[in-house]
Amino acid sequence: MNILICNVGSTSLKYQLFAMDRGEQVIAAGGAERVGGRESGFYWTENGEKRRERLALPTHREAIERMLRQLPPEAAVDCVGFKVVHAKGVTGVQYLTDDVLAAMEAFNSVAPAHNPPYLAAIRQFRALMPGVPLIGSFETAFHAQMPPEARLYSIPWELSERYAIHRYGFHGASHEYMTEFAAEKLGRRDFRLVSCHLGGSGSLAAVRDCRSVDTSMGLSLQCGVMQNNRIGDIDPYIIFYLAEECGMTLPEIKTMLQTKSGLLGMSGVSNDLRDVEDAAAAGNERAQIALRAYTYGIKKYIGSYAAALGGLDAITFGGGIGRNSARVREQALSGLDFLGVELDLQKNWSPRGGDDVSRDGSPVRIYVVDTNEEIVVARKAAALLMGG
Ligand code: AMP
């Protein structure tokens, strides 16, 4: 069985084709970048080498057509799986029917950077690959069993119910991968974990016995720890103050929260952590404060989740930042020895994926994980396809 997994961004498309019955081997991989822009291009892996070409990709349709030409002709695609983000009243793994797409559309305004491009791309796939099942694995699914005290906001009960307003949480595929990774390493499933997915977009999850019991993102992806250019937790009255006293319109405030905040907004340097780290090392004070604020936010979540879980057995770090930034891990974990979190600074400096970077004898294991969201989605899609 061959499963094509596609990751859709507003200007990008990434794909991997998994041969599930050949040990989940990746038999094709690549993507399109700057879709809709003047510098658009396509890249793919051929005989282990990354190749690249410039070509006009005005919309996702052309990117999908180019990808289809690149897939090995002998490998029939049995289904296309998507790591879809959000839908009103729908989660889990689903065939992408009209009803499911309508439920995604109903949450366009809470996931504006994710749902519209996915919907557009899924409709193109339907047109270009008629008869091939399209399956979505929702990023909210891993958190769907959170208890009500973690799930509900203290707004009037009727509003929560009428408009489906509650904490959903995201990055489910990554948190699930890291949870299973920790379960394998620890050799048991009854443990307390804080899973840190830290990338351009990031969230933490408190996991007990391999289930998410709390997470830092909410109804939308605009809360929790600071993001690359998106806001994290803020006092909601900042929004009213900006609108009522400072002359900003609601669309302006929304754009500011979604694209001009986070690491970029605080540092004034970049939305890329590497640039912020470089600027901080060169003495840029705002960059130094942004880094401290980012890692302080992570530390606070780890501490609160340790309290929620009644202690910790493991912490996992994944995503572009969690996997690669020794400085972020070090700053976020500093001073947490009282929880049994003892980082080995040397091991932490340049770990291989999967390494335990805690000190020998540390009560809490700390794993740096090459999280693989695509394989989680491929396995779920395969299970649904086989009637599981
Ligand atoms: P992701 O969204 O998971 O692809 O992660 C993107 C983020 O990871 C960006 O902010 C990058 O700056 C960050 N990142 C990637 N590689 C490194 C690295 N070697 N050191 C620090 N940050 C990194």
Side-chain angles (χ1 to χ4, degrees):
M1 179 189 293
N2 297 322
I3 300 201
L4 179 64
I5 299 298
C6 288
N7 245 323
V8 182
S10 51
T11 63
S12 67
L13 173 86
K14 288 184 207 154
Y15 68 91
Q16 286 188 46
L17 181 61
F18 290 93
M20 300 305 283
D21 358 324
R22 279 166 43 197
E24 299 178 337
Q25 194 189 341
V26 177
I27 52 176
E33 52 198 2
R34 298 176 197 250
V35 176
R38 275 189 296 159
E39 308 264 289
S40 57
F42 185 81
Y43 57 90
W44 68 99
T45 306
E46 198 168 299
N47 300 326
E49 275 184 32
K50 205 161 176 181
R51 316 245 338 236
R52 196 171 273 284
E53 78 183 19
R54 288 272 295 273
L55 86 163
L57 299 170
T59 69
H60 278 94
R61 182 183 179 94
E62 291 77 16
I64 297 165
E65 285 172 335
R66 178 66 190 84
M67 173 193 73
L68 293 178
R69 287 203 300 279
Q70 196 60 48
L71 295 181
E74 71 285 359
V77 174
D78 294 295
C79 108
V80 187
F82 300 91
K83 187 165 62 77
V84 279
V85 175
H86 211 0
K88 189 174 182 182
V90 175
T91 187
V93 197
Q94 306 283 343
Y95 285 104
L96 294 168
T97 60
D98 287 342
D99 285 350
V100 173
L101 297 195
M104 288 174 67
E105 208 142 23
F107 266 175
N108 271 355
S109 65
V110 281
H114 302 86
N115 277 14
Y118 260 112
L119 283 162
I122 289 164
R123 293 192 169 113
Q124 297 293 359
F125 272 95
R126 277 184 168 185
L128 293 168
M129 302 180 81
V132 175
L134 306 183
I135 290 177
S137 172
F138 282 93
E139 286 284 71
T140 48
F142 186 61
H143 310 290
Q145 308 300 322
M146 283 186 296
E149 62 271 25
R151 185 168 173 267
L152 294 175
Y153 295 115
S154 60
I155 57 172
W157 192 272
E158 314 77 56
L159 283 181
S160 297
E161 289 201 329
R162 190 177 326 144
Y163 299 114
I165 297 173
H166 55 81
R167 183 183 300 284
Y168 287 78
F170 300 91
H171 304 117
S174 179
H175 289 306
E176 186 170 335
Y177 184 90
M178 291 198 274
T179 297
E180 292 304 321
F181 179 89
E184 205 176 306
K185 284 278 184 182
L186 295 169
R188 59 186 221 262
R189 299 188 71 76
D190 58 335
F191 57 87
R192 300 155 299 176
L193 166 75
V194 176
S195 168
C196 308
H197 176 90
L198 304 173
S201 161
S203 68
L204 281 79
V207 178
R208 178 184 287 119
D209 302 343
C210 296
R211 283 170 170 242
S212 171
V213 293
D214 203 350
T215 190
S216 60
M217 279 183 168
L219 167 71
S220 78
L221 295 91
Q222 306 289 333
C223 61
V225 290
M226 270 162 64
Q227 318 286 322
N228 56 355
N229 56 358
R230 294 202 308 255
I231 196 75
D233 293 334
I234 56 161
D235 177 344
Y237 262 62
I238 292 172
I239 295 168
F240 301 110
Y241 180 65
L242 288 172
E244 291 165 1
E245 306 291 338
C246 308
M248 282 180 80
T249 64
L250 274 181
E252 282 169 352
I253 296 172
K254 201 169 184 185
T255 303
M256 179 275 287
L257 296 176
Q258 284 169 2
T259 63
K260 297 180 182 170
S261 300
L263 285 171
L264 172 67
M266 274 195 93
S267 71
V269 171
S270 167
N271 65 2
D272 191 302
L273 183 88
R274 286 166 290 200
D275 300 335
V276 180
E277 284 186 333
D278 289 349
N284 180 318
E285 197 187 353
R286 270 178 62 183
Q288 290 167 352
I289 294 171
L291 255 183
R292 287 210 303 275
Y294 180 58
T295 53
Y296 176 64
I298 298 166
K299 184 195 305 245
K300 280 205 295 189
Y301 267 104
I302 293 174
S304 67
Y305 288 166
L309 294 166
L312 287 178
D313 298 300
I315 300 175
T316 51
F317 284 95
I321 295 172
R323 165 70 182 88
N324 295 306
S325 177
R327 185 173 286 107
V328 164
R329 291 191 301 268
E330 183 179 330
Q331 284 186 201
L333 299 182
S334 71
L336 296 185
D337 310 52
F338 75 101
L339 289 174
V341 178
E342 297 170 12
L343 184 72
D344 183 315
L345 297 184
Q346 220 151 12
K347 288 185 201 162
N348 180 52
W349 195 244
S350 149
R352 287 163 307 172
D355 276 359
D356 177 351
V357 293
S358 59
R359 255 189 247 146
D360 296 341
S362 162
V364 178
R365 310 277 91 198
I366 305 163
Y367 300 115
V368 177
V369 184
D370 283 323
T371 190
N372 185 344
E373 297 161 278
E374 286 72 24
I375 196 63
V376 173
V377 178
R379 287 174 188 162
K380 286 179 188 293
L384 184 66
L385 211 54
M386 291 189 301

